[in-house]
Each structure stands twice: as C-alpha cells, then as structure tokens.
Amino acid sequence: MGLLERYEDLFPLTSATPRISLGEGNTPFLPLRNVGKSLGVKLYGKVEGANPTGSFKDRGMVLAVAKALEGRARAVVCASTGNTSASAAAYSAAAGLPCYVILPAGKVARGKLAQALIYGAKVLAVRGNFDKALELAMAASDEWRLAIVNSVNPYRLWGQRSGAWEICDELGRAPDWCVLPVGNAGNITAYWAGFVQYRRMGKCQGVPRMVGVQAQGASPLVSGVECDKPETVATAIRIGRPVNAQKARAAVKMSGGFFMAVSDEEILEAQSLLASREGVFAEPASCAPLAGLMRLKRDGKLPQATTIAMILTGNGLKDPDTAMSKAGEPVEVDGTMEALRKVMAP
Ligand code: F0G
C-alpha cells in the first residue's frame, strides 16, 4: 500500500486526489547496534534509500504530484541538487505529466542525473549553484503556471511528515533525538510537524529534540549568515540560502534541539563506518548526522543511553564516485589459486 492510502486520514486529500503510488514509504527502521554501542546510545537508522527512487523525496513527491494532477497542472518543474529531480521525474512519468528539472551544472551525482534523464524529464544544467536554480524554477513556475515541486510546495513537506509517523509507529513513542542532514531545511521542518501532529492526535508520547547537521562549507543555519559559495562533497546539501530557514530555526528551537556543522572528512569517515560496521550504504549527505554524533561523542557532549533516530535520507548507490574516492579500487589478480593465495588469507 502506498503512503496516500496508508495515511489517508492524515493527509489533506479529497475524493478527487488520485491515490498514485510507486511503493514509497514503509522504509526500514534499523537498530544500528555496532555504531550505537561505540557511541553509547540507542541508535536507529531510517533507511530512506529504500524508497522507489532511492531517497526520502518520494514521500513528499507522491502527494505533490497527486495534487498537481488534481489541480490539472500542465507540467511539473523543480530545481534540485539531484534527489528531488529523480523523484519528480519518476512520479511525473507515472502520472503522465511533463517534468522540467533545473540543476547546478557539474554538481549533481551521476546516479541522480541518470535517473532524471531515464525517467524522461527535460533536464537543464545551469551555470550556477542550487540557489540560482531554485530562483529560476520559481520564476519558470510563475511564467508558465507549472506546478513547482520543491519544498516551497506545502504538499511536499506534508508528505515528508510520514517519516516521523513511521518512526513513532515502530518505536511506540517518539525518539529522544531525531538527527537529520539539512540543506534547503525542508525535511527537518516536515519531521517536526509530523511529530507534533502525531502527539496532538494522541498517537505518540512526547516529541524529540531536532538536531540539524550541515556540511561546514554550506552551513548558513549554523553561522547565521547566508553562504554565497556553498561547497561540500555532500552535493545533496550544497545549499547556501535555504528557503525553509526560518521554519527550520523555529522547529529546532521549539524542540530544544540545535544545528551543527561537520567537515567533508568527517562525513566520508561516517559514511565508511556506517557501511563497514552496519552494512548500510547511504549517500554522503545522509551521513552528516552520524558525523555529527561522532563529533559530539568525542567532545563528551552526547548524553548516554539516548534513543536516537538518524534519517539516512538517500541511497549510497546514487554517488559511487565519492564512495570510491574513499574506499579505493578492487585488487586485480590473475585467475589462478596461486595468485589468490598471495593476497587472500582468511
Ligand atoms: N539528504 C539528501 C540525500 C538530500 O537530497 C537533501 C536535499 C537533504 C538531505 C536535505 O534536505 O533540503 O529538506 O534540508 N536535497 C534537495 C534536492 C535539495 O534537490 O534533492 P532538505
């Protein structure tokens, strides 16, 4: 069952909203025992890479595209660092809507680019960063009356609340902390709204502290100033002017949480640890939260025995180039046992 059917009562649906689905949501909520133990916390990972296009964006896209269909939109448009465009292109394809994608040229991971193209979107790579691309997507949406499916679209964020609901359903309560990577600051806002809505409906006890982790080279929510030249290996969150900054600040403050920034090196270290100790391959941006927790632990600032939900927002397969820059290449040998014996010693 897709998200729209499963949470029919919690979404703003009408009888005219088509219940489309590509099988999004209901992703694994994995106990990460090995890493959790070394951090001294009860750690869970919400594996959003298991969504149909490999990221959390599908949760919001299913509702945004359903609403675009209901409103008889001519086409869909978005700016993206990669995942939004993959998701928009897939849901538009299934819905029979044309999709226009505006990307920062040269700064989108190959897998994501391949997705947008193969799903049949019209992909435009602009010379400029994501913030410029979003400005253009909004202007294009106004000029041609296209449905914009970035997180300025309230249905996107509403759909993304479902991640918080699933976590509460699974835990039987809200976690103590919910840690997310932050780029355009939509998802952290959506999760907070999801937890608050669920508590208000009596479906869970408490709400978590929201912890937002940015990449050091693109950390306007930590520094307090917009960033003109964002730069990070975690291209998904290479954003200098987050459109949801105000809402995200309010959410984090209300929850008693905080923002922090981590270096590219820390992100890659966390990515490799998550893969090699837990068997979970998440993309670089998705590993910023773990990098943040590792830093807090080192600084003696991680309260022990805390129940922590980490949102692993995207699949590692989307960006093999970055993973291999850290993990290296396979060892090539002749096809003989003699050659194997020299390098293999179980
Ligand atoms: N993690 C991943 C894998 C992402 O793709 C994004 C955002 C984020 C985290 C941050 O979420 O923007 O709601 O704070 N990707 C957008 C995109 C910008 O275009 O795919 P946010």
Side-chain angles (χ1 to χ4, degrees), residues 56-57 80-84 181-187 236-237 239 283 285 313:
F56 72 98
K57 305 285 181 179
S80 185
T81 56
N83 283 322
T84 295
V182 174
N184 222 8
N187 207 31
I237 51 173
I239 295 176
E283 69 168 281
T313 47

Side-chain angles (χ1 to χ4, degrees), residues 29 38 50-51 55 73 108 125 197 208 219 224 286-289 296 306 341 344:
F29 187 59
S38 60
N51 276 299
S55 87
V108 171
Q197 183 181 358
S219 52
S286 309
C287 299
L296 293 174
T306 314
R341 278 185 210 108
M344 219 178 126

Side-chain angles (χ1 to χ4, degrees), residues 77-78 80 100-105 117 121-127 133:
V77 66
C78 71
S80 185
Y100 297 91
V101 159
I102 307 179
L103 305 169
L117 291 163
K122 175 89 178 167
V123 181
L124 309 167
V126 300
R127 290 182 279 274

Side-chain angles (χ1 to χ4, degrees), residues 57-130:
K57 305 285 181 179
D58 296 339
R59 294 179 180 279
M61 204 56 74
V62 68
L63 183 55
V65 171
K67 284 291 178 182
L69 279 173
E70 184 180 347
R72 299 186 184 282
R74 300 162 50 197
V76 161
V77 66
C78 71
S80 185
T81 56
N83 283 322
T84 295
S85 58
S87 186
Y91 281 85
S92 300
L97 283 171
C99 177
Y100 297 91
V101 159
I102 307 179
L103 305 169
K107 292 293 181 182
V108 171
R110 299 272 309 156
K112 302 176 187 180
L113 209 49
Q115 287 181 289
L117 291 163
I118 200 79
Y119 291 132
K122 175 89 178 167
V123 181
L124 309 167
V126 300
R127 290 182 279 274
N129 60 29
F130 169 83

